[in-house]
Amino acid sequence: MEFRVLGPVAVVTGRGEPLPLGPAKRRSLLAMLVQCPNAAVAVDRLTEAMWLEEPPRHSRTVVQGHVSQLRALLAAHDAGAHGVELRTHGAAYLLRVPETLVDAHRFEELLRLARAQRAPRDAVPVFQEALALWTGPALAGTVHSPLLEHAAHALEELRLTAVEELADAHAVLGEHATAAAVLRAEAVAHPMREPLIAALIRALGGAGRQADALHWFHRTRRLLADQLGVDPGSALNDAYTALLRTAPPSAASAAEGAGRGATPPRTAAAKASTPAPAPAPAPTPTPVSLTAGAAPRPQLLPRRPRAFTGREDELDALDRAATAAPGAVALITGSAGVGKTALAVHWAHERGADFPDGRLFVDLHGYSTVPTRGATAVLRELLLALGLPAEQMPGSPDALGARYRELTSTRRMLIVLDNAHDSGQVRPLLPGGDRCVTVVTSRDRLGGLVASDAACPVPLAQLPAVQSTALLAAVLGPDTVANEPEAAAQLAALCDGLPLALRVAAARLATHPHHGLAAFVRELSDEHRRLDLLNVDDTGVGAALGLTVRQLPEPARRMFHRLGPHTGATLDICTAAALADCPAGQAALALTQLAAAQLVVEAGPQAYVLHDLVRLYARSLDPGHDPDGLPRLLDHWLRTLLAASAAAEPGSEPCCALPVAARGPAAEIRTFADRTSALAWYSAERDTLRGAFDAAVAAGLDDRAWRLVLLQWPLILWQVRDGWVPLLEQGLACAERAGDHGAQSRARALLGWVLAEEGRSEEALGHLERAPDLSALAGDRAGEAVARINLAIALTRRGTPERARELLVRALALAEEAGRTETVTLAHQHLTQYLLAVGAHDEAACHAVRGLALAAPPLAAPRRVVLRTLYGEALAAAGRTPEAVRQLDDAISEARASSYEEGEIAARAVLAGLAGA
C-alpha cells in the first residue's frame, strides 16, 4: 500500500490500483493526515484545510463522516496488514503509517542520498528516481485552502530545487544539452524563477545554442520588468555576461541589436567597461535584377507602438509561427480594439535583424470607413516599394502577382498585411520566397487561409488584469496608478481588457488630470454613458465595433441588433433564439457568424461569451426597435427556471406559475439531465439572473421580477448563507408593488428561512409570522403550509417549540387539502424531527413511514434519504436496533446512488453513533 501526495492525492494498493477516495474534502483530510504521519492532527486544523471559506455549523459532523468513510475504506483493503490505522485521539485524528509508504517521505530521503554522493555520475540516477515519484502538482484534487496551498508550494519548491541540482550534475558531466532539456519545461512553467532561468541559459550556452540562451534572457528580463517592475538579479546577469564572453561575434551582435529591441542590462562597473565583441557585417541579400544598382531594402512599417505592454505569450507564438515552415504565414486574429495591429508592428520592429531585405506593411482596410483595398492596387504599391519602376509595371492582375512573387522569391523579407477582411483578399499578396514571412491581422478567423496556406493562428484575447493595469501605468505614469491602485484595477475591468478602450480612457484622464482615477471610474460605471466616455475624437470602442457590425452577414447583423437586452456575460443558443425571436437553428448560424467576427467568443458547445462593451454597443443600436425584446427574454428565463427547479428538486411542485401576460416560447427551452446539472446551471447564471431582475425592475415588470427571485429557491437552499437577503428583500418589494399576497407570503417564508440560517432570528420571525396569513388571503393552501413549516422550524431552533407541533399538524392538513404531495412529505419530515426531539419515538417513526410512502423513488431521492435516516433514528430510540441499521444502510445506498453526499454523511454519522452505543 502506498500513500501519494506528489501529484493527485491517492492511496494505491500493492497491485497498483487506486482506492476510491471520494470527494475533494475527503482527499483534503487525508492529505493533512499523510503530511503529519503518526502525529495527531486537531479537528479544527482539519476543518481549516477542508473549507475555503467559513465552515458550516455542522462541519464537525462532516469531518467525522469523512473519517468514518476513510477508516472503512482502509479496513476493507487490509490496511492493518501494512501497519496502517486511522485512530481517534480526543478532538484529533492520527494516521499511523510507516513513513516508507508515503511518497513525499521517500522523495526527501532520495534527495538526501543524492546530495551525499561524491561523484555527479552517481547522483544523477538517484535524483531521477526521486523526481520520478512526481505525477503532477502536489496535493492535486484537494480543496484550495491556504493550509493546503502552502503545503503544496513547499513541496513544489523542493521539487524545483531537485531539478536544478539534477541539471547541475549533468552540466558537471558535460551533458549540457541534457541539462537544458531538464530545465526547459520548468522554465516555461516558472518563467520568473531567476536561478532556474540562469541555469537554463548556462546549459544552452554550453550546448552551443547561444541564440536560444539570449532569447531566454531577454524574455525573462521583459517579464520581470512588465510584471514586477524590477531588473534581473545577479544570478541572471552573471549568466548573461558569461554567455556574451563565450558567444561567437554573430550571437553577441544579435544580443545587442535583435534581442526584441532590448538594451543589455547594466551590471557592475567593471563588467560594463568590458569591450563588446565587434558586430558582424549585415548579410548580403541575393541580388535581383531590376534596374542598375543594388536591390532596395524597403522599410514601410508604421512607427513602433508607444507604451506596448505584455503579450509575451503571443510574441512567443509569433516567433514559433514565423519559423514553423518555409514561407510561413502567421495569422493574428481578435476582436475590434484588442491590439492586433499593435502586436504585429511591435513584433516586426523587434525582429528587424531577421529580415535584412526589408519589411513591408499594407493596411487592407477590411474593416474601415474607406473601401476595402483590392489586390491590383496593393500589388502595384508593393512592387514600387521593391524598386520596380512605374514604367515597367505589368498591366494585368495576374502579371502583377507573378512579378511580385518573382521579386520576393530569393529575398528574406517580412510582409505585414493588416486589417484583412477575408482569405481571398490575402492570397494574391503572399510572397513567393521560402525565406519570407507574412503576418496577417484580421477580425475574422480566416479559416480558408489556414486550410489553403497553412497559416498559423495567433489568437489575441483581452489583456489580463495585471497587463491592463500596466498599460494604464505606461500611458499615465506609474505614480498615477500607484496612488489609486484599486481604482486602476476597476478601470481595467470596466474596459474589458481592450487595449483600445484602455488607451482612450487614459487619453481622457491625461487631458483631465484633476479628475483622478476614482472619479473617472464612477462615471464609467454608468452603463448608459460608458461607450460615450470611451470615445475621443474619431477614435473609440463604439466606432471600432461599428465597422465590424457593418461587415456582418445579414443573419449575424440581425442577431447582434437583438442582443442588447441580454444581462449576462454568457449566452447559449436557446437564449439567443429567445432574444432574436427566431428558431434555434437560425440562432446557432448567427452565433457562429458572430464568433467568426470575434464579437462573441465560443466557450463550449453551444455556449458563447459576450463581453460587456460589446453588449453595451448592441444595446445602443436602435434601443426602441424591439420593445418586446426584454419581456420575451424574461419569460424565457422564467420557463428555464421552472425546468431547472423541477430537475434540481425532483418531485417538487412549482412555487409559482408563469404570469398571465407571458409570451409564448419563441424557441426551445434548455433541458437538464439531473439535479447536479441544474444546480450547476443555477450557480453559473446567478449574476445573469440578477441582471435580468434589475432590468425587470427598471422596466416596471414587477410580475416577472419577483418570480425571477423565487424560482431560484433550489440554489438558495443549497447555498443558503451566500448573501441572498438583499435580493429576497427586493423581490418581496416587487411582490408588494404587484399586490400579490401569495407571492408576498412565499417571499417572506423564503426570506425568513434564510435569515434564520444566518442567525438573525428576530428578523426571521418577523417575516415568518406574517407569511401564513398572507397565503390564507391569497387562498394558497400549499403556500400557507410551507410558511407554517418554516415558522415551526424557526421557533424550534430559537428554543420556543411550544407552537411547533400545532403549526406542523396544520401544515400537514393544508398540504393534504391542496393535494401537494411534496409539501405533505415535507410536513411529515419535519413532524418526525420534532417528535424525535421531544421523545415521541413511536409517533415519529409513524410519520417517517408515511413520508417514505409518498416520496416515491427515484424522483425524490434526497427527501427519501433524510426520511430513512430519521426513521432509523426513531427505530433506534425505540430499541429496534436491527431495523434501524437496515434503514440507515438503505439511506446510505440511496444517497450514494443519487450523489447526495451530505445525506450519506448524515446517515453514516447516525450509524456510527449506534455502533458506539
Side-chain angles (χ1 to χ4, degrees), residues 834-859:
Y834 169 80
L835 293 165
L836 276 173
V838 299
H841 307 130
D842 291 335
E843 195 176 355
C846 179
H847 279 286
V849 169
R850 289 172 63 189
L852 279 168
L854 293 170
L859 290 179

Side-chain angles (χ1 to χ4, degrees), residues 444-499:
D444 192 272
R445 293 172 178 169
L446 302 191
L449 196 66
V450 176
S452 64
D453 295 274
C456 294
V458 180
L460 201 59
Q462 281 77 359
L463 281 172
V466 173
Q467 293 186 8
S468 297
T469 308
L471 177 56
L472 289 173
V475 178
L476 295 172
D479 291 343
T480 303
V481 171
N483 290 337
E484 297 182 84
E486 291 184 7
Q490 291 172 354
L491 177 57
L494 289 170
C495 289
D496 265 354
L498 278 178

Side-chain angles (χ1 to χ4, degrees), residues 288-293 379-380 383-384 386-396 399-404 406-407:
V288 178
S289 177
L290 293 169
T291 56
L379 283 168
R380 286 197 185 100
L383 286 169
L384 287 170
L386 290 168
L388 185 69
E391 60 271 19
Q392 297 182 22
M393 198 69 62
S396 70
L400 286 167
R403 190 69 168 129
Y404 168 65
E406 177 192 354
L407 294 182

Side-chain angles (χ1 to χ4, degrees), residues 168-264:
D168 286 343
H170 280 300
V172 171
L173 293 170
E175 299 168 351
H176 299 291
T178 305
V182 168
L183 292 165
R184 191 182 185 284
E186 302 303 336
V188 171
H190 304 276
M192 289 187 286
R193 186 180 175 92
E194 293 189 58
L196 182 67
I197 308 299
L200 176 59
I201 290 170
R202 290 193 298 271
L204 289 168
R209 296 165 59 188
Q210 280 80 9
D212 288 341
L214 290 169
H215 168 71
W216 273 101
F217 172 78
H218 289 297
R219 179 181 187 271
T220 309
R221 178 198 58 76
R222 191 174 59 247
L223 275 173
L224 291 169
D226 289 348
Q227 305 224 1
L228 302 180
V230 299
D231 292 328
S234 59
L236 208 54
N237 276 330
D238 289 349
Y240 177 76
T241 303
L243 183 70
L244 291 182
R245 287 175 176 169
T246 59
S250 58
S253 175
E256 299 298 325
R260 289 260 170 97
T263 302

Side-chain angles (χ1 to χ4, degrees), residues 417-434:
L417 303 175
D418 186 45
N419 203 10
H421 181 261
D422 54 37
S423 301
Q425 191 183 17
V426 172
R427 288 193 188 98
L429 308 178
L430 296 177
D434 286 347

